Amino acid sequence: MVTRESASLRPWSGRAILHVDMDAFFAAVEQLDHPEWRGQPVIVGGDPAKRGVVMAASYETRAFGVRSAMPAARAAVLCPDAVWARPRGARYRELSQQVRAIFSAVTPHVQPTSIDEAYLDVTPGEHTGDHPLAIAREIQSRVDALGISCSIGVAANKVVAKIASDRDKPHGITVVWPGEEAAFLAPLPCKLMPGVGSVTAARLSTVGIRDIGDLGALDELTARELLGSSGLELVARARGVDSRAVRENPPAKSVSSERTFARDVHSADEVRAAIAALAEKVALRLKDKGISGRTVTLKIRYGDFTTRTLRHTLVSSTDRSEELLETALDLLDRAWSPGVGVRLLGVGASGLEERTVQLDLFDEEREHGSVTGRLARGIEDVRRRFGADAIAYGHQPPADFDTPSQGHDVAQQGEQSQ
């Protein structure tokens, strides 16, 4: 294994995979856009006085023990002088797209796994003619030029590359040379292995399995007893064996948007306004993708955390927010009564297909000449440029928790563990 300080271009043989992971991405973007925040502890997340959650923490903040997914109230206690920034999903997606353009310029084989990380296949002589380490350095340099930074793992397979990308953060490159995978993994704690959560790690620890080397040494019978059906796969990966290919994510099967409230809402006006905003976001995303959906889904989570999901299939597919809203409100009437606390709402569209345009003598006036048509297109243009919340309904309350993860394009199929 080598890191950025000692890396040299030893010959590389066989498959080469990069895992690129942005460093404190949301917080880094905020520091980029607010130079006065550079060097200061920055937290991106919801209101500490409500049900906010830390979405990202700058490295200055992490020194105080603040981590992503931590309750905002707890983070405020640990780091009372932190700068708090509300999440700006549109801005983060914009930077993410610029980063992905850098990846695509290097290799056509890119598999994004989230807004701030991706796998790249850079196998020498197959997908590129350059050395994998040289490519990693070039990617890091180009990302630096954007004003943000990334850390990169270079290895012969995905699981090792992913673990390696976290070894020298921030702004590090860790290389695990072919044939050295097992030795690199062996001393690391089991909890670093993708697919081994805290509960599984604790169970393994009770029987003396604390590091990945111990996990890789398990026999087939013990692996199945301790880890169930996934046991053999985890043991293989603990030995540094992973044959998964880097591939583009499959087409989206559904498009949805969700909102979690800072406090339970009970009034019909608030609930309906939130659904209207979600329907607008879904419609805008459908239009941007040139697709329409036939099945409308409403997800509602009550104050006691029970959740209901209702669906209705339309006669024909649509990308119009009015139709999505009308159907979602019909579903709402079946699932909710005013006064019942609501914690989360979601609107989605599935049964996706390419949008078709049917023209007749009246379409031109409806879509282009009418005041309503021009207004609708103007609103869409503003939302595309400044974000889905740039224009809101007069009765719509401000978003309490608006994160980039609220919009979802769900793939038809994907790998069980990345």
Side-chain angles (χ1 to χ4, degrees):
M1 180 190 72
V2 295
T3 58
R4 59 183 174 183
E5 292 83 3
S6 61
S8 60
L9 295 183
R10 287 167 46 184
W12 190 281
S13 175
R15 194 166 65 137
I17 307 297
L18 307 184
H19 183 261
V20 185
D21 191 4
M22 305 305 297
D23 297 324
F25 183 50
F26 298 168
V29 174
E30 296 301 334
Q31 290 176 318
L32 171 66
D33 291 348
H34 303 87
E36 68 276 14
W37 293 354
R38 294 175 185 171
Q40 296 189 43
V42 174
I43 297 174
V44 179
D47 191 338
K50 300 178 182 178
R51 286 179 179 164
V53 175
V54 174
M55 300 297 299
S58 69
Y59 283 92
E60 296 86 355
T61 311
R62 296 182 187 189
F64 293 86
V66 177
R67 296 291 185 271
S68 61
M70 174 183 289
R74 173 61 176 162
V77 172
L78 292 174
C79 190
D81 297 326
V83 176
W84 285 81
R86 295 297 297 274
R88 296 182 298 147
R91 177 59 172 153
Y92 305 150
R93 288 191 292 272
E94 178 186 357
L95 265 294
S96 178
Q97 289 169 1
Q98 294 180 36
V99 171
R100 290 183 186 179
I102 294 173
F103 300 161
S104 297
V106 170
T107 174
H109 300 278
V110 179
Q111 181 183 345
T113 57
S114 70
I115 194 172
D116 61 350
E117 61 181 301
Y119 292 102
L120 288 69
D121 190 327
V122 294
T123 302
E126 184 172 342
H127 306 313
T128 177
D130 297 323
H131 193 286
L133 179 52
I135 294 173
R137 288 170 170 166
E138 178 65 20
I139 289 173
Q140 194 175 69
S141 176
R142 292 185 186 182
V143 171
D144 289 346
L146 297 177
I148 50 183
S149 71
C150 65
S151 296
I152 304 176
V154 186
N157 61 57
K158 293 171 77 172
V159 69
V160 179
K162 180 174 177 61
I163 294 173
S165 67
D166 196 43
R167 297 299 296 163
D168 192 21
K169 275 184 165 289
H171 202 253
I173 297 177
T174 299
V175 183
V176 181
W177 299 95
E180 299 179 5
E181 295 86 3
F184 166 73
L185 295 173
L188 303 178
C190 286
K191 64 181 180 180
L192 296 184
M193 173 64 64
V196 177
S198 57
V199 174
T200 301
R203 184 166 70 250
L204 291 173
S205 181
T206 60
V207 293
I209 301 170
R210 295 179 175 81
D211 55 46
I212 296 178
D214 296 333
L215 181 60
L218 290 179
D219 60 77
E220 179 177 337
L221 179 60
T222 305
R224 290 186 182 278
E225 289 178 348
L226 289 175
L227 302 167
S229 59
S230 64
L232 295 183
E233 183 180 25
L234 284 174
V235 168
R237 292 183 185 178
R239 296 170 181 171
V241 178
D242 180 10
S243 61
R244 293 174 300 161
V246 172
R247 56 177 181 163
E248 293 185 11
N249 291 329
K253 185 178 180 180
S254 65
V255 174
S256 63
S257 187
E258 294 181 357
R259 177 179 173 187
T260 300
F261 296 99
R263 57 187 179 280
D264 292 350
V265 297
H266 300 80
S267 77
D269 284 346
E270 284 185 290
V271 170
R272 289 173 177 269
I275 291 176
L278 295 172
E280 289 282 359
K281 292 180 181 181
V282 172
L284 187 60
R285 191 170 293 116
L286 290 170
K287 289 182 172 68
D288 285 342
K289 293 177 176 294
I291 56 178
S292 57
R294 190 164 183 172
T295 299
V296 180
T297 301
L298 175 71
K299 177 180 178 181
I300 179 168
R301 179 168 297 150
Y302 305 102
D304 62 0
F305 287 88
T306 60
T307 303
R308 287 193 65 183
T309 302
L310 298 89
R311 296 177 178 84
H312 177 74
T313 299
L314 304 171
V315 174
S316 59
S317 62
T318 185
D319 63 358
R320 297 179 61 236
S321 60
E322 296 89 344
E323 289 187 69
L324 296 173
L325 174 59
E326 181 181 1
T327 306
L329 290 178
D330 286 342
L331 294 173
L332 177 69
D333 290 340
R334 293 163 44 189
W336 179 76
S337 299
V340 177
V342 175
R343 180 181 178 84
L344 175 147
L345 288 168
V347 174
S350 58
L352 304 181
E353 58 188 53
E354 290 188 11
R355 185 170 64 239
T356 58
V357 179
Q358 182 177 6
L359 297 176
D360 58 34
L361 292 176
F362 301 100
D363 278 341
E364 183 70 19
E365 178 180 352
R366 278 200 299 265
E367 296 299 326
H368 301 285
S370 70
V371 173
T372 302
R374 292 196 301 272
L375 176 60
R377 293 197 311 278
I379 290 174
E380 289 174 5
D381 289 342
V382 170
R383 283 178 168 145
R384 283 192 180 92
R385 184 173 181 183
F386 299 106
D389 296 319
I391 295 180
Y393 294 92
H395 61 287
Q396 179 178 327
D400 291 307
F401 188 47
D402 185 15
T403 76
S405 61
Q406 288 175 316
H408 304 287
D409 299 337
V410 181
Q412 293 175 338
Q413 59 185 6
E415 298 181 60
Q416 290 301 310
S417 59
Q418 300 292 353

